[in-house]
Amino acid sequence: MCGIVGIVAKSFVNQTIFDALTVLQHRGQDAAGMVTCEGNRFYMRKDNGLVNEVFRTRHMKRLMGNMGIGHVRYPTAGSSSAAEAQPFYVNSPYGIALCHNGNLTNADELADQMFRADLRHINTTSDSEVLLNVFAHELQQQGKLVPDADDIFAAVANVHKRVKGGYAVVAVITGYGILAFRDPNGIRPLVYGTRSIEGGEETMVASESVALDISGFTRVRDIEPGEAIFIDMQGNIHTRQCAEKTSLTPCLFEFVYLARPDSIIDDVNVHQARMRMGVKLAEKVQRERPEHDIDVIIPIPDTSRTSALEMAKHLNVTFREGFIKNRYIGRTFIMPGQTQRKRSVRRKLNPIESEFKGKVVMLVDDSIVRGTTSKQIVQMARDMGARKVYFASAAPPVRFPNVYGIDMPSPTEFIAHNRTEDEIGEAIGADWMLYQDLSDLQASVSEEHSGITHFDSSVFDGHYVTGDIDERYLVRLDQKRNDLAKVDEETSEHADEASADLHTKIQ
């Protein structure tokens, strides 16, 4: 999962891109990058770290130009080195910089094609570099000294034919404009909006509508699956459907956890979708335990707060904030080792004893992946004196890996692996475990947009909408994502850094 933004404006875009990336920071805290373009020259800054750590005043002064793109990275199975921060750049044809959100499921095959057939070298393990080179090759094949929108859209159409997976892309072509496009299944989100100023109209493309809001852009609409949008240097907007076969199947996990609640994705208000998730949970409680003894419903901050509040309201049960969150600790489910995750939970959340003591508590979380955090939170509630601790998840059990751009552990590390829901509850120490039904979760989102009839719900049901995922692919992915592999990779990166430091000292 990553966040992307692209802008064509009438004045320098560096500050606007910076502001957009700060509100997309939830989509990636590992690295940030920006490319701006003035005339026929690119200016780039990228590195590991948060947005306000990567871009200092001295960097912002050098990021000149009236159009540009930006990226925040949340690493998946590949390396998280600074060399793989985005955007990536190629000088031929024209000069193109590109960044993307998602994951290419045939990246290895494409990289081999790039070398053997297209005579292009891939220098990193990032599928974003592969995607950039595929697009660059297809654009070069158009054979134009001065490309127009038709040439660019033809290149995107050929990219769709070669590339598989989930992807939302934004690119800047030196001297020509900004291009953005979305995979034919619309798995990863992409939206665009405009802002009228004296002297004309400016356009922004971003992963979430909240990035438009923060800078005064008015949301126009989501980019359709398979569609491309090209904004030329004069600010003219060109759009075209570039895929032969499309289907709107957005990632269901975006609405559960990934997106900000104040965003609108595929015409669905994320906040309201999460409210409906809470209502569905309440209805399930009423079906399964109409004589429940819940005294208080407490959310596990922050994403579950909306669902928990609606759940409490519809059950006529008291809602309370029982945990105080340290907002300076990152998410824990992608940390490389179990020991590090365990240490992080207590640094992240601190319970308020008076909200638990002597009560039957229903804890509500947006989802459960490994269950390590859930188990410790249940124990915190007991340590604070709760008589009983129930646990509800606004999403169904996560049983399958995500292959479209969300970093999750090996399936064998999922708490739901080979366990029933009751066994999961026992494993985390809860007196009662309540999961959202998949049909209810889907209804919570599609109720607002009847045009969405299918979702990428692969993490819950194991159905991969691109149709190219087999057991061999999942085994290879599992080898990259298990904790041991991540520890080995981290050790290797540290060794590389130490070797580089030693080489520098010798020099």
Side-chain angles (χ1 to χ4, degrees), residues 148-188:
D148 57 21
D150 290 339
D151 300 315
I152 292 167
F153 290 144
V156 174
N158 289 331
V159 169
H160 286 321
K161 292 175 183 177
R162 297 180 65 178
V163 169
K164 297 177 182 178
Y167 49 93
V169 178
V170 63
V172 55
I173 305 172
T174 319
Y176 295 101
I178 296 288
L179 168 70
F181 57 94
R182 194 177 181 191
D183 71 83
N185 293 291
I187 297 172
R188 302 264 69 89

mmCIF file of all heavy atoms in Angstrom, residues 148-188:
data_model
loop_
_atom_site.group_PDB
_atom_site.id
_atom_site.type_symbol
_atom_site.label_atom_id
_atom_site.label_comp_id
_atom_site.label_asym_id
_atom_site.label_seq_id
_atom_site.Cartn_x
_atom_site.Cartn_y
_atom_site.Cartn_z
ATOM 1 N N ASP A 148 1.583 12.890 -28.738
ATOM 2 C CA ASP A 148 0.346 13.554 -28.326
ATOM 3 C C ASP A 148 -0.434 12.614 -27.417
ATOM 4 O O ASP A 148 0.026 11.510 -27.091
ATOM 5 C CB ASP A 148 -0.484 13.982 -29.537
ATOM 6 C CG ASP A 148 -0.837 12.816 -30.458
ATOM 7 O OD1 ASP A 148 -0.815 11.648 -30.004
ATOM 8 O OD2 ASP A 148 -1.136 13.073 -31.649
ATOM 9 N N ALA A 149 -1.624 13.022 -26.994
ATOM 10 C CA ALA A 149 -2.417 12.229 -26.065
ATOM 11 C C ALA A 149 -2.734 10.853 -26.640
ATOM 12 O O ALA A 149 -2.739 9.847 -25.909
ATOM 13 C CB ALA A 149 -3.703 12.970 -25.702
ATOM 14 N N ASP A 150 -2.989 10.766 -27.932
ATOM 15 C CA ASP A 150 -3.293 9.478 -28.554
ATOM 16 C C ASP A 150 -2.127 8.504 -28.410
ATOM 17 O O ASP A 150 -2.325 7.311 -28.146
ATOM 18 C CB ASP A 150 -3.623 9.669 -30.039
ATOM 19 C CG ASP A 150 -4.964 10.364 -30.259
ATOM 20 O OD1 ASP A 150 -5.807 10.336 -29.339
ATOM 21 O OD2 ASP A 150 -5.159 10.940 -31.349
ATOM 22 N N ASP A 151 -0.910 8.996 -28.593
ATOM 23 C CA ASP A 151 0.270 8.146 -28.453
ATOM 24 C C ASP A 151 0.421 7.649 -27.013
ATOM 25 O O ASP A 151 0.749 6.479 -26.782
ATOM 26 C CB ASP A 151 1.528 8.911 -28.858
ATOM 27 C CG ASP A 151 1.481 9.380 -30.298
ATOM 28 O OD1 ASP A 151 1.091 8.584 -31.168
ATOM 29 O OD2 ASP A 151 1.807 10.560 -30.541
ATOM 30 N N ILE A 152 0.188 8.539 -26.088
ATOM 31 C CA ILE A 152 0.332 8.177 -24.670
ATOM 32 C C ILE A 152 -0.726 7.151 -24.274
ATOM 33 O O ILE A 152 -0.434 6.154 -23.595
ATOM 34 C CB ILE A 152 0.252 9.449 -23.804
ATOM 35 C CG1 ILE A 152 1.490 10.320 -24.057
ATOM 36 C CG2 ILE A 152 0.130 9.098 -22.324
ATOM 37 C CD1 ILE A 152 1.393 11.721 -23.506
ATOM 38 N N PHE A 153 -1.955 7.353 -24.730
ATOM 39 C CA PHE A 153 -3.017 6.397 -24.402
ATOM 40 C C PHE A 153 -2.764 5.042 -25.081
ATOM 41 O O PHE A 153 -3.084 3.988 -24.505
ATOM 42 C CB PHE A 153 -4.376 6.950 -24.814
ATOM 43 C CG PHE A 153 -4.844 8.100 -23.975
ATOM 44 C CD1 PHE A 153 -5.556 9.153 -24.537
ATOM 45 C CD2 PHE A 153 -4.589 8.139 -22.619
ATOM 46 C CE1 PHE A 153 -6.004 10.223 -23.762
ATOM 47 C CE2 PHE A 153 -5.020 9.203 -21.830
ATOM 48 C CZ PHE A 153 -5.731 10.244 -22.405
ATOM 49 N N ALA A 154 -2.198 5.044 -26.280
ATOM 50 C CA ALA A 154 -1.862 3.786 -26.950
ATOM 51 C C ALA A 154 -0.817 3.017 -26.147
ATOM 52 O O ALA A 154 -0.876 1.784 -26.030
ATOM 53 C CB ALA A 154 -1.357 4.061 -28.367
ATOM 54 N N ALA A 155 0.128 3.744 -25.574
ATOM 55 C CA ALA A 155 1.152 3.108 -24.739
ATOM 56 C C ALA A 155 0.526 2.496 -23.486
ATOM 57 O O ALA A 155 0.871 1.379 -23.081
ATOM 58 C CB ALA A 155 2.229 4.122 -24.365
ATOM 59 N N VAL A 156 -0.395 3.230 -22.858
ATOM 60 C CA VAL A 156 -1.078 2.707 -21.668
ATOM 61 C C VAL A 156 -1.869 1.448 -22.021
ATOM 62 O O VAL A 156 -1.884 0.469 -21.261
ATOM 63 C CB VAL A 156 -2.004 3.775 -21.058
ATOM 64 C CG1 VAL A 156 -2.830 3.182 -19.911
ATOM 65 C CG2 VAL A 156 -1.197 4.967 -20.553
ATOM 66 N N ALA A 157 -2.540 1.448 -23.173
ATOM 67 C CA ALA A 157 -3.305 0.271 -23.600
ATOM 68 C C ALA A 157 -2.401 -0.947 -23.708
ATOM 69 O O ALA A 157 -2.781 -2.059 -23.294
ATOM 70 C CB ALA A 157 -3.989 0.555 -24.935
ATOM 71 N N ASN A 158 -1.192 -0.760 -24.218
ATOM 72 C CA ASN A 158 -0.251 -1.871 -24.329
ATOM 73 C C ASN A 158 0.293 -2.289 -22.956
ATOM 74 O O ASN A 158 0.599 -3.467 -22.740
ATOM 75 C CB ASN A 158 0.896 -1.506 -25.268
ATOM 76 C CG ASN A 158 0.447 -1.449 -26.718
ATOM 77 O OD1 ASN A 158 -0.480 -2.150 -27.108
ATOM 78 N ND2 ASN A 158 1.097 -0.608 -27.515
ATOM 79 N N VAL A 159 0.425 -1.332 -22.044
ATOM 80 C CA VAL A 159 0.819 -1.672 -20.679
ATOM 81 C C VAL A 159 -0.223 -2.599 -20.058
ATOM 82 O O VAL A 159 0.109 -3.618 -19.435
ATOM 83 C CB VAL A 159 0.988 -0.400 -19.820
ATOM 84 C CG1 VAL A 159 1.118 -0.764 -18.340
ATOM 85 C CG2 VAL A 159 2.204 0.395 -20.270
ATOM 86 N N HIS A 160 -1.495 -2.262 -20.214
ATOM 87 C CA HIS A 160 -2.560 -3.107 -19.661
ATOM 88 C C HIS A 160 -2.503 -4.525 -20.217
ATOM 89 O O HIS A 160 -2.848 -5.490 -19.520
ATOM 90 C CB HIS A 160 -3.925 -2.499 -19.970
ATOM 91 C CG HIS A 160 -4.267 -1.284 -19.154
ATOM 92 N ND1 HIS A 160 -3.946 -1.161 -17.822
ATOM 93 C CD2 HIS A 160 -4.926 -0.136 -19.495
ATOM 94 C CE1 HIS A 160 -4.381 0.003 -17.370
ATOM 95 N NE2 HIS A 160 -4.972 0.645 -18.363
ATOM 96 N N LYS A 161 -2.085 -4.657 -21.467
ATOM 97 C CA LYS A 161 -2.012 -5.990 -22.079
ATOM 98 C C LYS A 161 -0.870 -6.820 -21.485
ATOM 99 O O LYS A 161 -0.953 -8.051 -21.444
ATOM 100 C CB LYS A 161 -1.819 -5.855 -23.595
ATOM 101 C CG LYS A 161 -3.024 -5.287 -24.324
ATOM 102 C CD LYS A 161 -2.725 -5.064 -25.803
ATOM 103 C CE LYS A 161 -3.910 -4.421 -26.520
ATOM 104 N NZ LYS A 161 -3.599 -4.137 -27.956
ATOM 105 N N ARG A 162 0.176 -6.146 -21.039
ATOM 106 C CA ARG A 162 1.361 -6.866 -20.548
ATOM 107 C C ARG A 162 1.382 -7.043 -19.034
ATOM 108 O O ARG A 162 1.915 -8.033 -18.527
ATOM 109 C CB ARG A 162 2.635 -6.117 -20.973
ATOM 110 C CG ARG A 162 2.834 -6.036 -22.469
ATOM 111 C CD ARG A 162 4.118 -5.293 -22.826
ATOM 112 N NE ARG A 162 5.307 -6.002 -22.369
ATOM 113 C CZ ARG A 162 6.548 -5.585 -22.594
ATOM 114 N NH1 ARG A 162 6.757 -4.448 -23.266
ATOM 115 N NH2 ARG A 162 7.579 -6.288 -22.169
ATOM 116 N N VAL A 163 0.814 -6.091 -18.328
ATOM 117 C CA VAL A 163 0.948 -6.045 -16.872
ATOM 118 C C VAL A 163 -0.261 -6.689 -16.195
ATOM 119 O O VAL A 163 -1.395 -6.503 -16.616
ATOM 120 C CB VAL A 163 1.106 -4.580 -16.412
ATOM 121 C CG1 VAL A 163 0.973 -4.458 -14.921
ATOM 122 C CG2 VAL A 163 2.447 -4.024 -16.879
ATOM 123 N N LYS A 164 -0.009 -7.439 -15.127
ATOM 124 C CA LYS A 164 -1.081 -8.034 -14.332
ATOM 125 C C LYS A 164 -0.925 -7.605 -12.875
ATOM 126 O O LYS A 164 0.179 -7.360 -12.400
ATOM 127 C CB LYS A 164 -1.026 -9.560 -14.426
ATOM 128 C CG LYS A 164 -1.256 -10.102 -15.829
ATOM 129 C CD LYS A 164 -1.126 -11.611 -15.871
ATOM 130 C CE LYS A 164 -1.305 -12.145 -17.288
ATOM 131 N NZ LYS A 164 -1.121 -13.621 -17.338
ATOM 132 N N GLY A 165 -2.047 -7.524 -12.179
ATOM 133 C CA GLY A 165 -2.018 -7.160 -10.770
ATOM 134 C C GLY A 165 -2.922 -5.985 -10.475
ATOM 135 O O GLY A 165 -3.829 -5.657 -11.247
ATOM 136 N N GLY A 166 -2.691 -5.357 -9.337
ATOM 137 C CA GLY A 166 -3.448 -4.167 -8.952
ATOM 138 C C GLY A 166 -2.517 -2.977 -8.956
ATOM 139 O O GLY A 166 -1.446 -3.029 -8.337
ATOM 140 N N TYR A 167 -2.909 -1.893 -9.631
ATOM 141 C CA TYR A 167 -1.996 -0.750 -9.703
ATOM 142 C C TYR A 167 -2.748 0.537 -10.015
ATOM 143 O O TYR A 167 -3.691 0.563 -10.806
ATOM 144 C CB TYR A 167 -0.900 -0.972 -10.760
ATOM 145 C CG TYR A 167 -1.396 -1.431 -12.115
ATOM 146 C CD1 TYR A 167 -1.686 -0.529 -13.131
ATOM 147 C CD2 TYR A 167 -1.563 -2.790 -12.392
ATOM 148 C CE1 TYR A 167 -2.126 -0.947 -14.386
ATOM 149 C CE2 TYR A 167 -2.014 -3.226 -13.637
ATOM 150 C CZ TYR A 167 -2.291 -2.306 -14.631
ATOM 151 O OH TYR A 167 -2.738 -2.723 -15.856
ATOM 152 N N ALA A 168 -2.340 1.591 -9.333
ATOM 153 C CA ALA A 168 -2.729 2.958 -9.668
ATOM 154 C C ALA A 168 -1.426 3.705 -9.889
ATOM 155 O O ALA A 168 -0.516 3.642 -9.055
ATOM 156 C CB ALA A 168 -3.538 3.595 -8.548
ATOM 157 N N VAL A 169 -1.331 4.407 -11.013
ATOM 158 C CA VAL A 169 -0.048 4.947 -11.474
ATOM 159 C C VAL A 169 -0.166 6.440 -11.741
ATOM 160 O O VAL A 169 -1.192 6.913 -12.235
ATOM 161 C CB VAL A 169 0.387 4.241 -12.779
ATOM 162 C CG1 VAL A 169 1.694 4.823 -13.310
ATOM 163 C CG2 VAL A 169 0.516 2.738 -12.558
ATOM 164 N N VAL A 170 0.895 7.164 -11.410
ATOM 165 C CA VAL A 170 1.005 8.559 -11.822
ATOM 166 C C VAL A 170 2.421 8.758 -12.359
ATOM 167 O O VAL A 170 3.394 8.227 -11.804
ATOM 168 C CB VAL A 170 0.693 9.533 -10.667
ATOM 169 C CG1 VAL A 170 1.680 9.395 -9.523
ATOM 170 C CG2 VAL A 170 0.655 10.966 -11.162
ATOM 171 N N ALA A 171 2.532 9.469 -13.493
ATOM 172 C CA ALA A 171 3.832 9.677 -14.133
ATOM 173 C C ALA A 171 3.904 11.091 -14.680
ATOM 174 O O ALA A 171 2.884 11.694 -15.039
ATOM 175 C CB ALA A 171 4.043 8.669 -15.264
ATOM 176 N N VAL A 172 5.118 11.607 -14.761
ATOM 177 C CA VAL A 172 5.349 12.902 -15.379
ATOM 178 C C VAL A 172 6.271 12.694 -16.570
ATOM 179 O O VAL A 172 7.293 12.001 -16.474
ATOM 180 C CB VAL A 172 5.944 13.928 -14.369
ATOM 181 C CG1 VAL A 172 7.201 13.405 -13.710
ATOM 182 C CG2 VAL A 172 6.207 15.266 -15.057
ATOM 183 N N ILE A 173 5.869 13.229 -17.714
ATOM 184 C CA ILE A 173 6.657 13.128 -18.945
ATOM 185 C C ILE A 173 7.230 14.515 -19.226
ATOM 186 O O ILE A 173 6.484 15.485 -19.404
ATOM 187 C CB ILE A 173 5.787 12.655 -20.127
ATOM 188 C CG1 ILE A 173 5.087 11.334 -19.768
ATOM 189 C CG2 ILE A 173 6.636 12.497 -21.381
ATOM 190 C CD1 ILE A 173 4.067 10.891 -20.794
ATOM 191 N N THR A 174 8.555 14.597 -19.246
ATOM 192 C CA THR A 174 9.224 15.897 -19.329
ATOM 193 C C THR A 174 8.730 16.719 -20.510
ATOM 194 O O THR A 174 8.757 16.275 -21.652
ATOM 195 C CB THR A 174 10.742 15.703 -19.497
ATOM 196 O OG1 THR A 174 11.181 14.662 -18.661
ATOM 197 C CG2 THR A 174 11.481 16.984 -19.175
ATOM 198 N N GLY A 175 8.229 17.916 -20.196
ATOM 199 C CA GLY A 175 7.824 18.835 -21.232
ATOM 200 C C GLY A 175 6.460 18.570 -21.836
ATOM 201 O O GLY A 175 6.017 19.312 -22.726
ATOM 202 N N TYR A 176 5.756 17.526 -21.348
ATOM 203 C CA TYR A 176 4.470 17.179 -21.954
ATOM 204 C C TYR A 176 3.304 17.193 -20.959
ATOM 205 O O TYR A 176 2.239 17.701 -21.276
ATOM 206 C CB TYR A 176 4.553 15.812 -22.643
ATOM 207 C CG TYR A 176 5.495 15.835 -23.817
ATOM 208 C CD1 TYR A 176 6.781 15.316 -23.704
ATOM 209 C CD2 TYR A 176 5.120 16.410 -25.031
ATOM 210 C CE1 TYR A 176 7.660 15.359 -24.774
ATOM 211 C CE2 TYR A 176 5.994 16.456 -26.097
ATOM 212 C CZ TYR A 176 7.268 15.935 -25.969
ATOM 213 O OH TYR A 176 8.133 15.992 -27.028
ATOM 214 N N GLY A 177 3.486 16.636 -19.773
ATOM 215 C CA GLY A 177 2.386 16.665 -18.813
ATOM 216 C C GLY A 177 2.400 15.506 -17.833
ATOM 217 O O GLY A 177 3.392 14.777 -17.712
ATOM 218 N N ILE A 178 1.278 15.353 -17.146
ATOM 219 C CA ILE A 178 1.107 14.313 -16.129
ATOM 220 C C ILE A 178 0.139 13.255 -16.652
ATOM 221 O O ILE A 178 -0.933 13.574 -17.175
ATOM 222 C CB ILE A 178 0.545 14.909 -14.820
ATOM 223 C CG1 ILE A 178 1.535 15.896 -14.195
ATOM 224 C CG2 ILE A 178 0.184 13.806 -13.822
ATOM 225 C CD1 ILE A 178 2.750 15.271 -13.579
ATOM 226 N N LEU A 179 0.520 11.998 -16.452
ATOM 227 C CA LEU A 179 -0.325 10.869 -16.832
ATOM 228 C C LEU A 179 -0.677 10.071 -15.585
ATOM 229 O O LEU A 179 0.164 9.883 -14.703
ATOM 230 C CB LEU A 179 0.429 9.962 -17.814
ATOM 231 C CG LEU A 179 -0.177 8.582 -18.094
ATOM 232 C CD1 LEU A 179 -1.463 8.718 -18.906
ATOM 233 C CD2 LEU A 179 0.833 7.677 -18.813
ATOM 234 N N ALA A 180 -1.918 9.586 -15.515
ATOM 235 C CA ALA A 180 -2.312 8.685 -14.441
ATOM 236 C C ALA A 180 -3.233 7.616 -15.016
ATOM 237 O O ALA A 180 -4.016 7.904 -15.931
ATOM 238 C CB ALA A 180 -3.018 9.446 -13.314
ATOM 239 N N PHE A 181 -3.123 6.411 -14.501
ATOM 240 C CA PHE A 181 -4.027 5.352 -14.946
ATOM 241 C C PHE A 181 -4.194 4.296 -13.859
ATOM 242 O O PHE A 181 -3.391 4.206 -12.927
ATOM 243 C CB PHE A 181 -3.574 4.724 -16.269
ATOM 244 C CG PHE A 181 -2.179 4.152 -16.275
ATOM 245 C CD1 PHE A 181 -1.953 2.804 -15.997
ATOM 246 C CD2 PHE A 181 -1.089 4.947 -16.617
ATOM 247 C CE1 PHE A 181 -0.679 2.270 -16.031
ATOM 248 C CE2 PHE A 181 0.198 4.419 -16.655
ATOM 249 C CZ PHE A 181 0.409 3.070 -16.364
ATOM 250 N N ARG A 182 -5.238 3.502 -14.025
ATOM 251 C CA ARG A 182 -5.670 2.547 -13.009
ATOM 252 C C ARG A 182 -5.828 1.168 -13.640
ATOM 253 O O ARG A 182 -6.197 1.050 -14.806
ATOM 254 C CB ARG A 182 -7.006 3.019 -12.425
ATOM 255 C CG ARG A 182 -7.456 2.355 -11.138
ATOM 256 C CD ARG A 182 -8.747 2.992 -10.674
ATOM 257 N NE ARG A 182 -9.232 2.412 -9.417
ATOM 258 C CZ ARG A 182 -10.426 2.642 -8.901
ATOM 259 N NH1 ARG A 182 -11.262 3.453 -9.537
ATOM 260 N NH2 ARG A 182 -10.789 2.071 -7.771
ATOM 261 N N ASP A 183 -5.576 0.118 -12.875
ATOM 262 C CA ASP A 183 -5.649 -1.228 -13.429
ATOM 263 C C ASP A 183 -7.075 -1.571 -13.872
ATOM 264 O O ASP A 183 -8.043 -0.969 -13.396
ATOM 265 C CB ASP A 183 -5.146 -2.260 -12.410
ATOM 266 C CG ASP A 183 -6.103 -2.451 -11.245
ATOM 267 O OD1 ASP A 183 -7.060 -3.233 -11.397
ATOM 268 O OD2 ASP A 183 -5.887 -1.832 -10.189
ATOM 269 N N PRO A 184 -7.238 -2.511 -14.791
ATOM 270 C CA PRO A 184 -8.553 -2.809 -15.364
ATOM 271 C C PRO A 184 -9.590 -3.311 -14.361
ATOM 272 O O PRO A 184 -10.790 -3.306 -14.666
ATOM 273 C CB PRO A 184 -8.244 -3.901 -16.406
ATOM 274 C CG PRO A 184 -6.821 -3.658 -16.791
ATOM 275 C CD PRO A 184 -6.152 -3.206 -15.529
ATOM 276 N N ASN A 185 -9.146 -3.740 -13.179
ATOM 277 C CA ASN A 185 -10.082 -4.169 -12.147
ATOM 278 C C ASN A 185 -10.364 -3.092 -11.102
ATOM 279 O O ASN A 185 -11.180 -3.292 -10.211
ATOM 280 C CB ASN A 185 -9.562 -5.429 -11.443
ATOM 281 C CG ASN A 185 -9.538 -6.629 -12.371
ATOM 282 O OD1 ASN A 185 -10.578 -7.150 -12.763
ATOM 283 N ND2 ASN A 185 -8.343 -7.065 -12.751
ATOM 284 N N GLY A 186 -9.669 -1.976 -11.198
ATOM 285 C CA GLY A 186 -9.898 -0.886 -10.253
ATOM 286 C C GLY A 186 -9.624 -1.272 -8.814
ATOM 287 O O GLY A 186 -10.299 -0.802 -7.894
ATOM 288 N N ILE A 187 -8.616 -2.117 -8.598
ATOM 289 C CA ILE A 187 -8.340 -2.630 -7.249
ATOM 290 C C ILE A 187 -7.836 -1.516 -6.339
ATOM 291 O O ILE A 187 -8.334 -1.337 -5.229
ATOM 292 C CB ILE A 187 -7.326 -3.786 -7.317
ATOM 293 C CG1 ILE A 187 -7.924 -4.960 -8.104
ATOM 294 C CG2 ILE A 187 -6.935 -4.241 -5.913
ATOM 295 C CD1 ILE A 187 -6.942 -6.075 -8.392
ATOM 296 N N ARG A 188 -6.859 -0.774 -6.813
ATOM 297 C CA ARG A 188 -6.308 0.326 -6.018
ATOM 298 C C ARG A 188 -6.992 1.630 -6.416
ATOM 299 O O ARG A 188 -7.319 1.844 -7.591
ATOM 300 C CB ARG A 188 -4.800 0.435 -6.232
ATOM 301 C CG ARG A 188 -4.034 -0.843 -5.879
ATOM 302 C CD ARG A 188 -3.460 -0.794 -4.477
ATOM 303 N NE ARG A 188 -4.436 -0.848 -3.405
ATOM 304 C CZ ARG A 188 -4.892 -1.975 -2.854
ATOM 305 N NH1 ARG A 188 -4.490 -3.138 -3.296
ATOM 306 N NH2 ARG A 188 -5.744 -1.930 -1.866
#
